Amino acid sequence: MRVLVTGGAGYIGSHTVKALHTAGFEVVVFDNFSTGHRELVMGRNVIEGDLMSKHEVRSAFSEFPCDAVMHFASLIQVGESFRDPQRYYTANLISSLNLLDGMLEAGIDTFIFSSSAAVYGDPEDVPILETHPLRPANPYGQTKYFVESILQDYARAYGLRFISLRYFNAAGADPGGELGELHEPETHLIPNILRSLLEKDKTLEIFGTDFPTPDGTAVRDYIHVSDLAGAHALALQKLLEGLESGVINLGANHGYSVREVIHKVEEVTGRTVEYREGPRRRGDVPVLLASKARAEKWLGWRPRHSDLETMIRTAWEWHRSRHPRG
Ligand code: UFG
C-alpha cells in the first residue's frame, strides 16, 4: 500500500511518516518545503512540489500511483490568519481542492485530513464531542471547517472515503530523538517555554490571566505528536478495512492550564521559567478539552505518551539536542 503524504516534512506530518513506515506502508512525501524541513523527511520518495499547481499534483500521482492520501500541508497560524485571511483561504482551500481533483482523476478514493479543534470555536460543553456545533472563531479554523464540508459533499457525490482528524494541542517529540518541532516563528506554548530557557533573547509571555478558569490562564488538551501519528496509521488501516467516513477528535481528555504547563516544565528541566503576564491573544478560547471516546471506539486508539511529563521531556530533549546552549 502506497500513501502520498502532503506536508510530510512538517511537525505532525514527519512523525506520521515514521509511524506509517513502522506500520508497513510505502510513503511518498509531497512538500514545498516552505515551512517543512528536509532533515525531518524519512524515506527516499520525496517530491518537492506545490499543491497550488494542479500540474504538479497530477505529475506526482502519475510518477507514484498511490492507494491513499494524507493531507497535512497547510498554513497553521491563527494570528496570521486574522491579519491575512486572503492568504489562508487561498492556500488552504485551493491546495485541498487541487489535491482532491488529482485524486479523483487518478481514481484514488481514500483520504485522511488534518483538521483541528479550531473548528469548534469556543465550546458550549467540554469535553467536546464530535457532534458539537461547529463555529470556528478564526479564519484558520474556517478553512478547516470548509475543507471538512467539501469532503462530506465529495463523499456523497464521488464515493470519496475520508477520515478528518481534529487535533487538539500537538506537543512533544519523537521518543527516539529523530524528529521534533521546528516552527519559525514558533507560536506554541511548550516550545516557547523551552526556548525561553535556551535562548537569551526569548522571554515567555503568558497570553491572558483573566480567563474564567481556576488559575485565570487558558486550559488546553495536549496530545503527544507520536500518539497523533499512530492515530493516522490506525485511521488509514481502518478506512481501508471498510470504516465509514467521518470526523474524529484526537486529544487526551486531560486539560492543563498555561501555569500548570510552566510548573511542569520547571519540574522536568530543573530550571526556573521567567515570564511576563500579558493580554489575551486574539481568538484564544478559555478551555479546549476533547472527548476521545470516538477515537477509542472507532480506531481502538490509546494514547501512550500523552502524559504532560513525557510530552515536556521529549520536547526538552529535542530542543536541547538542537541547541548549543542546551
Ligand atoms: N500561550 C502563551 N504563551 C505563548 C504561547 C501560547 O500563553 O507563548 C498560551 C495560548 O494563549 C493558549 C495556550 O498557551 O492559551 C496554548 O497555545 P498554543 O499556541 O500552544 O496552542 P493553541 O491552543 O492556541 O492552538 C492550537 C493549535 C491551533 C489550533 C488551536 C485551536 O496549534 O492550530 O489549538 O484548536 F487552531
Side-chain angles (χ1 to χ4, degrees):
M1 283 283 166
R2 188 190 274 157
V3 193
L4 183 103
V5 179
T6 77
Y11 174 47
I12 305 175
S14 62
H15 286 79
T16 301
V17 168
K18 182 171 182 175
L20 288 170
H21 281 301
T22 306
F25 289 97
E26 184 186 338
V27 178
V28 181
V29 168
F30 185 100
D31 203 299
N32 67 2
F33 295 98
S34 60
T35 55
H37 303 268
R38 271 180 199 282
E39 69 213 81
L40 298 183
V41 177
M42 288 190 171
R44 278 172 296 119
N45 300 335
V46 184
I47 300 170
E48 178 162 358
D50 198 332
L51 292 173
M52 298 303 279
S53 157
K54 273 195 184 203
H55 168 70
E56 290 180 25
V57 173
R58 204 175 276 138
S59 351
F61 287 129
S62 60
E63 189 182 348
F64 291 101
C66 290
D67 303 285
V69 173
M70 286 197 185
H71 181 32
F72 293 90
S74 166
L75 299 179
I76 59 160
Q77 288 178 37
V78 171
E80 191 181 53
S81 80
F82 278 118
R83 289 191 298 276
D84 197 354
Q86 181 188 26
R87 182 160 172 250
Y88 270 68
Y89 285 113
T90 306
N92 290 359
L93 295 180
I94 306 289
S95 58
S96 300
L97 286 167
N98 284 347
L99 182 62
L100 289 164
D101 278 355
M103 288 177 60
L104 291 178
E105 257 178 47
I108 304 164
D109 66 355
T110 305
F111 190 67
I112 307 282
F113 178 58
S114 292
S115 187
S116 166
V119 296
Y120 296 115
D122 189 1
E124 283 160 19
D125 296 301
V126 292
I128 305 171
L129 295 166
E130 288 82 351
T131 48
H132 187 284
L134 304 181
R135 297 190 204 97
N138 52 62
Y140 160 75
Q142 286 283 6
T143 68
K144 296 293 178 184
Y145 167 70
F146 288 145
V147 174
E148 285 197 354
S149 311
I150 292 166
L151 295 179
Q152 314 263 12
D153 288 338
Y154 279 32
R156 278 188 287 266
Y158 312 123
L160 178 76
R161 311 196 58 261
F162 76 90
I163 298 285
S164 179
L165 297 171
R166 293 175 177 163
Y167 313 148
F168 283 66
N169 288 63
D174 170 37
E178 290 179 291
L179 304 167
E181 192 161 9
L182 273 181
H183 292 125
E184 207 55 63
E186 186 52 81
T187 61
H188 296 102
L189 179 63
I190 293 176
N192 273 354
I193 303 174
L194 298 177
R195 287 173 66 166
S196 78
L197 294 176
L198 291 168
E199 294 171 35
K200 268 210 174 80
D201 57 333
K202 292 249 181 335
T203 314
L204 179 71
E205 180 170 344
I206 297 185
F207 299 132
T209 51
D210 61 347
F211 285 103
T213 58
D215 68 18
T217 64
V219 170
R220 292 288 181 274
D221 187 334
Y222 296 89
I223 179 84
H224 195 286
V225 64
S226 298
D227 285 331
L228 281 185
H232 286 74
L234 280 174
L236 179 56
Q237 271 155 356
K238 299 282 177 189
L239 201 52
L240 292 167
E241 284 162 21
L243 178 70
E244 294 274 311
S245 296
V247 299
I248 301 179
N249 286 340
L250 293 179
N253 187 235
H254 278 297
Y256 295 100
S257 73
V258 173
R259 288 192 205 282
E260 285 173 319
V261 175
I262 292 173
H263 288 148
K264 186 56 89 176
V265 169
E266 292 185 324
E267 219 177 278
V268 170
T269 63
R271 303 192 188 188
T272 303
V273 175
E274 314 266 346
Y275 58 84
R276 60 168 180 264
E277 298 184 355
R280 292 185 188 189
R281 197 169 59 175
R282 191 174 176 195
D284 277 350
V285 302
V287 179
L288 283 174
L289 183 65
S291 161
K292 63 174 162 58
R294 184 179 285 184
E296 287 175 344
K297 189 161 168 218
W298 288 17
L299 304 180
W301 179 64
R302 303 273 177 279
R304 291 192 298 133
H305 308 285
S306 294
D307 58 286
L308 191 55
E309 182 171 337
T310 304
M311 289 188 279
I312 291 172
R313 187 176 40 73
T314 52
W316 179 232
E317 282 160 7
W318 167 254
H319 283 282
R320 284 181 82 174
S321 74
R322 302 192 54 85
H323 204 280
R325 286 182 60 231

